[in-house]
Amino acid sequence: MRVSFNWLQEYVDIDVSPAALAGSLTLAGLAVEGMEEPGKGIEKVYTGKILKIDTHPNADKLVICQVALGGEEQTQIVTGATNVRQGQVVPVAIVGAKLAGGLTIKKAKLRGMESRGMLCSGAELGLDPDILPEDQQHGIMILPADTPVGLDVKPLIGLDDVIMELELTPNRGDCMSMLGVAREVAALLKKPLKMPVIQLSEIPPGPEDNVRVDIDDADLCRRYVARLLKNVKIGPSPAWMQQRLRAAGVRPISNVVDVTNYVMMEMGQPMHAFDYNKLKDGHIIVRRAVTGETIVSLDKAERKLAPDMLVITDPGGPVAVAGVMGGLESEVTEDTTAVLLESAYFKPVSVRRTSRDLGLRSESSSRFEKGIDLTGCLRAADRAAALLAQMGAAETVALVVDNYPEPAVEKTVLLRPDRVNWLLDTNLTTAEIGQLLTRLHFTVQEDSSGLLVHVPGYRPDISIEVDLIEEVARLYGYNRVKNTLPTGVITQGARTYAQRLALNIKDFLAGSGFKEVITYSFINTRVFDRLGLPEENPFRNVVKLQNPLSEEQAVMRTLLFPGLLEVLQRNSNRRVKDGAVFELGRVFYPREGELLPEEVQMLAVAVTGSTQGSWNARPVSMDFYYLKGCLETLLAYLGVKDVAYRPAADIRGFHPGRTAIVQAGDVELGVIGELHPDVQENYELSQRVTVLELNFHRLIHVSGTPKKYQPLPKFPGVERDLAVVVRKDIPAQEIIDKIYQAGGAILRDVQVFDIYHGEQFAPDQHSMAFALKFQAADRTLTDEEVAIKTDGIMEALQRDFGAILRK
Amino acid sequence: MQEKLKNILYEAQQELSQADNLEELNDIRVRYLGKKGQLTGVLRGMGALSAGERPIIGQLANEVRSQIEDILELRTAEIKEKRKIVQLESERIDVTLPGTSSMMGRRHPLSIVQEEIEEIFLGMGYTIEEGPEIETDFYNFEALNLPKDHPARDMQDSFYINPEVLLRTQTSPVQVRTMERTAPGLPVRIIAPGRVYRRDDDATHSPMFNQVEGLVVDRRVTLADLKGTLQVFVEKMFGPATKTRFRTSFFPFTEPSAEVDISCVMCGGQGCRVCSHSGWLEILGCGMVHPRVLEVSGYNPEEVTGFAFGMGIERITMLKYGIDDLRLLFENDLRFLAQF
Ligand SMILES: [Zn+2]
C-alpha cells in the first residue's frame, strides 16, 4: 500500500516528520518498507506556456518553441517532442535545472539553433510512465490549461510529496485505505481524525430510470449498493485527483473510473462503474456462475467461469466477476451518459478463490480478500457520487438500492483489565486501557466485569479479548513492556540420547575430514534410473508431491546417498574432484493404510578421489577400505559391538564385489560399498565413489554398549607374527575368527599387517600376515605355552582353509 | 716421587685441556688412572719408600688422582655439552614448512548455527522436540488457528501430498503435538528445530529451509517473559551490544503477535545495504499463544498462557557469517563448506 504523506495530511494534522511517522507506524504493525521522495534532486522546473512553435530550419524532427515563464520572462527551447501544441502549459526545466537521474540542463545549440532549457516528460521528472494518463506516457507532460505560468512545478504534480510503502499484515485490511491509515496515524499522534464531508444533492429519477438488485447467493454477497448517476460527462479528472491517484500508484483514466479508484483508495471500498445504458433493465442479479458461462473481462480476455465463482449479471448474463474485474461490454466509455455505481461486500474467501482461479489479482480483489467494512458500502457510494457531482462530471439520481439482507450486528467484546495486566505484565488502570482503545476509535463502556468494547465495522479482525489486548499493547508500545524471564518450576534442558548421538556423529565425521552437506528432501525420480533400480524395487515406492515446483523436486527421497552423489557431481563440474561428505537426514517411506508416511533418519557418507597429501605425505586413496576404516572407528567410538561386514553382491547400484552389509549382532545397520561403474558414469564422476548409508535409529539402538573398566595387564604379553599362504577367496574375517577360536582365551588381539601377492604363489593364492598378541591376566606366559597355541592356530588354518605356513 | 706425581698431574692437565672428544678423554683416563696407567705405576713403586714417606706420598697420589678425576669429569661434561650443541645445530629444520596435512572436515554452517541456537535455549531449561516433516493438515494448520480458507493455506504456499497431508510449512505442529502429549501438565518449555517446506523458489526463498521454534506454556507466562527471553537469546547469539525492538505483527496462532528486529549486525544500526538503511534487521516472529491453540491442545486458556517464537536458521546463519546469497547454503560447494 502506497501512502502519500500529503494526502494523509487531509485527514490528520501531522506534526512529525515523515521518517518519524514511518517509525511509529512500523512499531504499531503497519510496517513501512520504503520511503520514496519523488521530487528528490529535481530543481528549477517551472510551469511554462508554449506561445509559438516554429519548424527547425535544419532538422525535420525538431521544433522551436517560444515559452513564457511568467512575467516578462520568455525563453527559446528546441524539442523533439511531437505532442506539444501552442497554448499548452508544460513543465520547463530552465538552464541550471536538475532532473531525475541527475541530469543538469545547460544552454545548448541543437542543429545550429539555441535552446535554453528543456520541456519535460513525466519520466524526466521521475514519474513512472505506467501511471501517467495514456496520452502522456510518451512525450512532454501536459499540465491543465488553466495552470498559472512561472510556478514551481513540484507541488503541482506531487513532487513535494513523500510516499510511504506499507507492508500490511493480512489482518489489517482496514489499512488498505488512506482513511484506515489516517485512523492509525491519528491514534499514534493523539490527533483528531478529519473525515471527508459528503454533500449530496440528488435529482429526482425520471420515469424510465429503474434500478433493481437481486442477491441470489447471499452467502457470498452480504450487501450490494447500486447508485444511479446521470448526465455523465466523461473527461479527465481534476489534477489534484490525478496527482493523488498517481501517488497511490494508480493510473488516471477518466473522471468516473478515477473516482471509483479514488474512493477505493480513500475508504477501502472497491467500486465498479457500469455503463447504465448497457445493463439490461437496470437489473443486477448477484449469483454463482453457471457451468459453461463466460465473460470478456476489461482486459479483453475471455474468461471461463466456474460454478463456485460469484458473478454480477443482468438478465442477459454476466457483466462482472464479483470483486475481481468488470466486463468489457458494460464498461464505461467516452460515450457513457449514465452510470450505475456498485459498492458491495463480497465474501473474502469467494473473491480470493475466484481471483486465484482466474489468475486475476487487482486492487479490488486484494481488498475484498481481506474483508472490507460491511457497514461502509452506502457511504462509499455517496462519496463517489458527491465527488463526481463536485467536479461536474455527473448528477446524482435519488435512486439508490441498498440490498442488505442481513445487516451487520455490532460486535461487543468484553475486556477485563486484569487480563490485560496479566498478559502484558503491566499496571494499567481501567481508565488508561479505555483511553488507549478510544484513541483507536473503539467505543468503550465500563461495566462491572470490565470494559465493553464496541468494534467498528472496519475491524473484522477484532473478535475476542486477546485481539483487544494486542490493540492495547501496540498503542501502549511493545517496547515499553518489561523484559523478564519466565518464573515457575525450574526445568532441566538437555538433549535426548538420540539428539546427543546425532551431534557426536556429526562432530566425529567432521573431525575425520568429512564435510557435512544439506540437500533437498525431495528428488527427481530420475535418480532411481541413474541407480539402475528396476521398476519393482522398493525404493521406487515414494511419497509424491501433488504440486511440486519442478520434476527435480517431485518426490520425497527414499535414499539419502544419491543426494551426496549430486553434491560430488556438482563439485566435480566445478573442478573440485576429490570429496568426502556426509548428511544426516530423513527418508520417507509410504505406509499402507496410514495417513502419514514413515520417516527414518539416515546417515549417508560418500567419498571419492584421494586425500590432499602434502610435501611429506602421499595422498591416500579414499576407497572402500578408507571409508570402512572411518566407519570402524566411528562404530567403536559409539560403542557398537559385534560388528560384521557381510559381502553383498546383489545390491542395485553397487559394485557386486565391493559392497557389504553392515551388521551389529543381528541388527542390519546399512550398507557400505563402491558405486557400480554404471552409476558412477551416470553421475559423470571421473573417480570411483564409495558410499555408506546407515539407519540412524538402528544405530542408536545398538550404540552405547555400557563400558566397564578392565584391569590393566600386570604380566607382560607375548607377540608373534604368523604368515600363511591361503586361497584369495577366503574372507579375511573367517580366517581371523578361526585364529581367535584356536588361540583361546590368552589370544588377545589379531591384526592383519600384510597381504602379499607374489609370483611364488599360485594365482589364486596370497600370503596374509597376522600379528598375534597373547597375554594372561594371572601369569607371565611361557614360550612353550605360546608355541602350543600358535601351532594349534596353524593346524586349524591348514585343516579348515588349506593354509600353508609361510616361512 | 713427589716430583713425578706433580709431573703426572701437570701432564694430565695439559692433555685433558687439549682433548676435544670423549674418546680422547677415555684414552687419557686409561693412560693415567687405568690399571696400567702412570699413576698406578707410581703407586706401585711406593714399596720402596720409607714408612714415614709412604703416607705423605700416598696422600699426594690420591690428591692427584682425585684432581685428575675432577678435571676429567668437568671436561666430559664440557665436551658432551658441546656435542649436544653441535647436534642440535645440525638438526635444525624449516619450521615454516607446512605440517603434515590432515583432511579438513566441517559441519554445515546451518548445522553449526542450529546447535548454537539450541545450546542457548537448553541453557534456559528448554528441551528439544522433534516431529514429522510430512504432517497432517490438522497439525500444520487447523490446530494453529489457520482455518481451511486462510490465505496462508493457498496451494501456492504449501507442498501437498494429498488434501489432508502436506510437507510441514513450519515446525509449529511440533508445538501442538507436544502440548497434546503434555496437557494438562505444566510447564511446557521446548524448542522445535527442523526442516520446513514452502512452495517458493527464488533468490531469497528456498523451497526447503530450517526453522527453530520455541514454546513456553505455564500458569503465568507474560509478554514481558517473551521479551526478556528473546533479549537473552539475541544477546547470546549476536553479542551483548545488540539491541532489539518488538514490532506489532500478525500470526494466526499468536495474539498479541510481534516481529523482532535486532540492531543491524553489519553496520551497528547506522544503516547499510544489508538492513536497507534502516539500521534494523528482522530476525524472528513471536507472540502470546492464541487461546484457541491452547484450547485445541488441551489447555484452559483462562488458566494458562504461553508464548511462542520462530526463526529461520538460514537468516541467522547468513547474518552471522555475512553470506549474501541464500542459494550457497544448499549448493554444498565444498570450497564454501570449507570456510566454517
Ligand atoms: Zn545495516
Side-chain angles (χ1 to χ4, degrees):
Chain A
M1 168 89 188
R2 287 167 59 90
V3 174
S4 150
F5 195 77
N6 284 353
W7 189 354
L8 209 49
Q9 302 261 23
E10 179 171 325
Y11 313 113
V12 192
D13 291 323
I14 302 173
D15 54 4
V16 297
S17 70
L21 181 65
S24 307
L25 284 171
T26 298
L27 291 179
L30 277 65
V32 177
E33 293 287 292
M35 303 271 276
E36 204 182 289
E37 289 176 59
K40 203 174 182 184
I42 294 173
E43 286 171 25
K44 294 189 180 166
V45 183
Y46 301 99
T47 53
K49 189 170 205 149
I50 299 173
L51 300 173
K52 189 159 163 262
I53 303 177
D54 295 312
T55 54
H56 193 292
N58 311 322
D60 295 344
K61 300 245 164 91
L62 297 176
V63 291
I64 300 160
C65 304
Q66 303 303 325
V67 183
L69 286 169
E72 297 297 300
E73 225 172 311
Q74 193 172 323
T75 189
Q76 171 172 305
I77 292 172
V78 179
T79 179
T82 52
N83 68 328
V84 286
R85 305 283 176 270
Q86 195 177 320
Q88 282 172 337
V89 179
V90 295
V92 180
I94 63 166
V95 172
K98 290 204 173 76
L99 298 183
L103 180 69
T104 306
I105 300 303
K106 296 189 186 99
K107 210 194 293 185
K109 268 199 171 148
L110 290 173
R111 292 285 190 99
M113 297 305 291
E114 189 165 89
S115 180
R116 289 187 307 269
M118 190 170 107
L119 309 184
C120 301
S121 68
E124 280 152 350
L125 296 173
L127 299 175
D128 177 0
D130 288 345
I131 54 168
L132 290 173
E134 213 155 331
D135 57 341
Q136 293 190 22
Q137 288 180 2
H138 311 285
I140 303 305
M141 187 174 194
I142 311 299
L143 301 170
D146 56 357
T147 312
V149 169
L151 299 181
D152 183 354
V153 88
K154 283 169 71 174
L156 293 175
I157 58 170
L159 292 183
D160 60 341
D161 205 354
V162 177
I163 310 292
M164 296 185 288
E165 182 66 49
L166 292 192
E167 180 80 27
L168 295 171
T169 51
N171 59 325
R172 294 310 303 273
D174 63 304
C175 290
M176 291 183 82
S177 66
M178 293 302 297
L179 271 173
V181 176
R183 273 192 300 263
E184 288 285 315
V185 172
L188 290 169
L189 301 182
K190 301 183 190 171
K191 298 272 179 187
L193 180 68
K194 295 180 283 182
M195 290 292 282
V197 181
I198 302 170
Q199 278 175 324
L200 267 188
S201 60
E202 297 181 318
I203 57 166
E208 72 289 359
D209 296 336
N210 180 38
V211 177
R212 180 174 161 196
V213 176
D214 291 327
I215 302 176
D216 288 359
D217 290 309
D219 57 330
L220 300 187
C221 174
R222 294 189 58 191
R223 189 174 185 184
Y224 198 104
V225 174
R227 194 174 237 309
L228 182 61
L229 304 170
K230 288 209 305 194
N231 303 326
V232 172
K233 291 187 269 307
I234 301 290
S237 57
W240 64 267
M241 182 174 281
Q242 291 198 19
Q243 200 186 111
R244 285 185 175 180
L245 288 175
R246 270 203 310 271
V250 175
R251 180 157 63 96
I253 293 168
S254 70
N255 45 15
V256 171
V257 177
D258 289 358
V259 163
T260 59
N261 283 330
Y262 183 85
V263 173
M264 171 170 71
M265 290 297 164
E266 181 179 61
M267 305 175 83
Q269 170 70 57
M271 301 191 105
H272 185 67
F274 294 102
D275 186 327
Y276 174 73
N277 294 320
K278 289 178 191 154
L279 291 174
K280 221 171 182 182
D281 309 331
H283 185 182
I284 293 286
I285 307 141
V286 186
R287 59 162 171 85
R288 284 181 168 82
V290 181
T291 313
E293 248 177 338
T294 59
I295 184 171
V296 178
S297 50
L298 279 176
D299 53 0
K300 301 181 176 71
E302 171 156 292
R303 310 273 173 183
K304 280 203 183 88
L305 300 169
D308 58 342
M309 294 177 179
L310 190 71
V311 286
I312 312 302
T313 67
D314 67 6
V319 293
V321 184
V324 178
M325 198 178 259
L328 188 64
E329 217 175 307
S330 55
E331 187 190 16
V332 170
T333 64
E334 280 176 20
D335 308 323
T336 301
T337 56
V339 160
L340 190 70
L341 276 181
E342 164 198 289
S343 177
Y345 180 98
F346 302 118
K347 203 177 168 193
V349 182
S350 163
V351 173
R352 187 159 59 82
R353 278 208 198 118
T354 305
S355 82
R356 186 190 67 205
D357 293 348
L358 291 177
L360 273 175
R361 296 220 173 242
S362 59
E363 293 278 359
S364 158
S365 70
S366 65
R367 284 174 175 76
F368 280 120
E369 279 175 16
K370 296 205 167 75
I372 58 159
D373 182 3
L374 180 59
T375 65
C377 300
L378 183 61
R379 197 167 56 246
D382 289 349
R383 170 71 169 155
L387 279 168
L388 282 167
Q390 182 193 316
M391 60 180 78
E395 285 181 299
T396 311
V397 182
L399 182 50
V400 58
V401 175
D402 182 4
N403 194 333
Y404 194 4
E406 217 180 298
V409 180
E410 194 195 45
K411 245 185 309 184
T412 303
V413 178
L414 174 69
L415 179 64
R416 296 162 295 174
D418 59 339
R419 194 72 189 172
V420 174
N421 288 324
W422 169 0
L423 212 61
L424 306 182
D425 199 0
T426 46
N427 288 307
L428 296 170
T429 62
T430 306
E432 284 167 332
I433 293 168
Q435 279 157 17
L436 288 168
L437 289 172
T438 309
R439 260 165 69 193
L440 283 165
H441 315 279
F442 293 96
T443 314
V444 179
Q445 223 181 317
E446 205 173 329
D447 150 289
S448 58
S449 45
L451 294 169
L452 283 175
V453 182
H454 303 278
V455 181
Y458 52 78
R459 291 301 303 271
D461 59 311
I462 305 288
S463 55
I464 57 173
E465 189 178 40
V466 273
D467 299 332
L468 288 171
I469 296 179
E470 179 176 89
E471 292 299 298
V472 170
R474 70 187 187 90
L475 199 60
Y476 173 74
Y478 279 19
N479 296 302
R480 282 171 67 197
V481 171
K482 281 186 279 190
N483 282 0
T484 58
L485 287 175
T487 50
V489 186
I490 304 280
T491 48
Q492 195 203 354
R495 293 180 194 278
T496 62
Y497 177 69
Q499 288 162 353
R500 206 147 28 84
L501 202 72
L503 270 191
N504 285 348
I505 289 174
K506 287 183 184 185
D507 284 335
F508 177 92
L509 288 172
S512 310
F514 296 85
K515 293 194 180 77
E516 185 184 10
V517 301
I518 295 181
T519 65
Y520 285 156
S521 311
F522 20 54
I523 57 170
N524 190 326
T525 49
R526 205 185 53 221
V527 165
F528 304 124
D529 303 335
R530 282 175 154 195
L531 296 177
L533 302 187
E535 285 306 318
E536 70 282 5
N537 187 289
F539 288 114
R540 280 189 182 267
N541 182 18
V542 291
V543 177
K544 287 191 189 71
L545 300 190
Q546 214 176 47
N547 56 337
L549 280 170
S550 72
E551 275 308 302
E552 282 307 305
Q553 307 165 356
V555 302
M556 300 306 283
R557 62 189 177 188
T558 50
L559 286 163
L560 213 52
F561 76 85
L564 303 189
L565 298 181
E566 273 168 32
V567 169
L568 293 179
Q569 182 185 18
R570 192 173 312 131
N571 279 281
S572 169
N573 290 342
R574 295 175 179 184
R575 293 167 194 276
V576 181
K577 300 283 182 192
D578 302 317
V581 294
F582 74 98
E583 179 168 17
L584 188 64
R586 296 184 194 180
V587 296
F588 306 83
Y589 307 132
R591 275 192 293 204
E592 206 58 53
E594 297 269 347
L595 195 56
L596 296 183
E598 186 185 5
E599 299 187 12
V600 185
Q601 205 166 7
M602 304 292 276
L603 170 68
V605 189
V607 289
T608 188
S610 44
T611 61
Q612 208 188 347
S614 55
W615 63 274
N616 64 343
R618 282 164 177 272
V620 176
S621 166
M622 293 192 284
D623 55 12
F624 180 88
Y625 292 118
Y626 181 89
L627 186 57
K628 188 181 175 195
C630 294
L631 176 59
E632 283 166 340
T633 319
L634 173 64
L635 294 179
Y637 168 72
L638 298 177
V640 180
K641 286 277 158 63
D642 301 326
V643 180
Y645 297 83
R646 192 153 47 77
D650 53 358
I651 300 183
R652 282 301 186 126
F654 286 87
H655 190 304
R658 297 185 168 194
T659 300
I661 301 284
V662 187
Q663 274 180 259
D666 49 14
V667 178
E668 199 177 298
L669 293 178
V671 64
I672 178 171
E674 193 175 293
L675 275 196
H676 194 286
D678 293 348
V679 179
Q680 185 193 324
E681 198 184 306
N682 291 343
Y683 279 93
E684 295 159 340
L685 289 162
S686 56
Q687 306 179 85
R688 289 168 186 262
V689 181
T690 305
V691 303
L692 163 70
E693 182 149 339
L694 300 185
N695 181 312
F696 179 71
H697 300 288
R698 292 188 193 163
L699 193 55
I700 296 167
H701 183 69
V702 298
S703 73
T705 315
K707 287 173 183 164
K708 268 231 172 102
Y709 156 75
Q710 298 292 320
L712 299 178
K714 290 199 184 74
F715 300 95
V718 179
E719 282 162 22
R720 288 286 181 274
D721 289 349
L722 181 69
V724 298
V725 178
V726 68
R727 279 207 331 273
K728 282 178 182 171
D729 62 352
I730 298 168
Q733 191 62 52
E734 283 183 27
I735 300 176
I736 293 168
D737 290 346
K738 184 63 67 182
I739 293 174
Y740 273 116
Q741 193 191 336
I746 60 167
L747 178 59
R748 291 297 170 86
D749 189 42
V750 179
Q751 293 294 332
V752 180
F753 73 88
D754 188 38
I755 295 197
Y756 181 68
H757 311 259
E759 284 174 5
Q760 63 266 51
F761 313 127
D764 64 340
Q765 307 255 313
H766 61 180
S767 154
M768 293 183 90
F770 300 93
L772 314 180
K773 184 166 187 185
F774 297 93
Q775 198 160 37
D778 54 354
R779 62 188 190 281
T780 303
L781 294 173
T782 64
D783 284 351
E784 292 74 38
E785 239 179 316
V786 172
I788 291 168
K789 285 297 180 193
T790 45
D791 289 351
I793 290 168
M794 201 49 235
E795 221 169 89
L797 295 182
Q798 198 161 9
R799 183 185 63 233
D800 293 352
F801 303 124
I804 299 161
L805 185 69
R806 187 176 167 218
K807 295 269 161 74
Chain B
M1 289 278 286
Q2 276 182 334
E3 208 48 34
K4 220 172 175 181
L5 282 169
K6 280 183 182 156
N7 263 341
I8 288 172
L9 179 60
Y10 176 75
E11 280 167 22
Q13 277 173 333
Q14 289 298 310
E15 284 186 41
L16 282 171
S17 68
Q18 276 156 27
D20 67 352
N21 63 53
L22 293 174
E23 290 70 32
E24 269 180 61
L25 286 183
N26 198 42
D27 285 351
I28 296 166
R29 191 180 59 80
V30 171
R31 240 179 306 123
Y32 288 91
L33 307 177
K35 277 183 189 154
K36 288 174 187 164
Q38 292 190 27
L39 193 63
T40 323
V42 172
L43 288 175
R44 218 174 267 137
M46 285 226 314
L49 297 176
S50 67
E53 272 179 322
R54 237 181 253 162
I56 297 162
I57 296 298
Q59 196 191 345
L60 185 66
N62 277 339
E63 276 170 19
V64 169
R65 167 181 284 273
S66 87
Q67 275 196 37
I68 294 175
E69 279 175 346
D70 285 352
I71 298 167
L72 251 172
E73 200 179 316
L74 193 74
R75 289 293 295 144
T76 306
E78 278 174 9
I79 288 172
K80 275 190 176 167
E81 183 58 29
K82 215 175 186 177
R83 265 200 185 183
K84 210 183 283 167
I85 289 168
V86 171
Q87 185 200 344
L88 291 178
E89 182 56 39
S90 73
E91 286 174 357
R92 184 182 296 278
I93 59 166
D94 180 358
V95 297
T96 68
L97 264 176
T100 308
S101 73
S102 61
M103 275 237 290
M104 212 167 42
R106 288 286 193 262
R107 295 263 305 275
H108 193 285
L110 290 173
S111 154
I112 298 170
V113 170
Q114 179 178 327
E115 186 186 347
E116 238 176 277
I117 297 169
E118 288 169 356
E119 288 301 325
I120 294 171
F121 288 103
L122 286 169
M124 291 195 269
Y126 291 63
T127 52
I128 303 172
E129 293 292 337
E130 290 154 295
E133 289 176 23
I134 301 183
E135 259 297 0
T136 61
D137 183 88
F138 174 80
Y139 284 110
N140 193 71
F141 287 137
E142 205 141 325
L144 290 160
N145 200 25
L146 276 120
K148 278 266 191 260
D149 286 313
H150 196 278
R153 299 183 51 154
D154 273 359
M155 286 288 278
Q156 55 261 46
D157 299 325
S158 317
F159 289 111
Y160 279 88
I161 305 300
N162 63 50
E164 285 309 309
V165 178
L166 72 163
L167 303 192
R168 67 176 177 195
T169 58
Q170 45 200 356
T171 59
S172 326
V174 180
Q175 300 185 11
V176 179
R177 285 177 180 272
T178 307
M179 282 192 280
E180 266 187 358
R181 211 171 48 235
T182 319
L186 290 171
V188 175
R189 217 170 273 176
I190 61 151
I191 53 169
R195 293 184 177 201
V196 298
Y197 306 85
R198 287 187 200 171
R199 212 169 168 279
D200 252 335
D201 196 1
D202 56 40
T204 54
H205 295 92
S206 167
M208 180 190 95
F209 57 102
N210 293 270
Q211 271 194 338
V212 176
E213 293 196 347
L215 171 73
V216 172
V217 178
D218 208 345
R219 285 206 188 283
R220 213 175 172 86
V221 178
T222 67
L223 182 68
D225 292 338
L226 170 61
K227 287 187 65 199
T229 300
L230 293 177
Q231 179 69 36
V232 169
F233 166 72
V234 164
E235 284 176 15
K236 291 202 173 173
M237 195 72 212
F238 297 102
T242 318
K243 288 198 266 303
T244 51
R245 71 170 190 186
F246 286 69
R247 279 188 288 113
T248 310
S249 191
F250 170 78
F251 306 106
F253 32 89
T254 52
E255 189 82 18
S257 304
E259 238 148 346
V260 180
D261 295 341
I262 58 167
S263 50
C264 178
V265 293
M266 303 292 168
C267 63
Q270 299 303 301
C272 69
R273 197 181 52 82
V274 174
C275 59
S276 315
H277 304 282
S278 69
W280 295 99
L281 294 167
E282 183 183 322
I283 58 149
L284 56 82
C286 62
M288 303 305 293
V289 181
H290 198 285
R292 271 198 283 272
V293 176
L294 288 171
E295 220 172 311
V296 168
S297 306
Y299 288 99
N300 180 353
E302 281 294 304
E303 284 167 10
V304 306
T305 50
F307 68 68
F309 55 85
M311 62 191 98
I313 301 175
E314 282 76 6
R315 169 93 172 140
I316 292 174
T317 304
M318 290 172 77
L319 289 176
K320 192 179 158 69
Y321 294 113
I323 299 168
D324 55 4
D325 185 353
L326 172 71
R327 284 168 294 200
L328 283 169
L329 292 171
F330 298 103
E331 269 177 10
N332 296 302
D333 189 307
L334 296 178
R335 296 162 301 181
F336 170 78
L337 295 177
Q339 298 178 24
F340 303 95

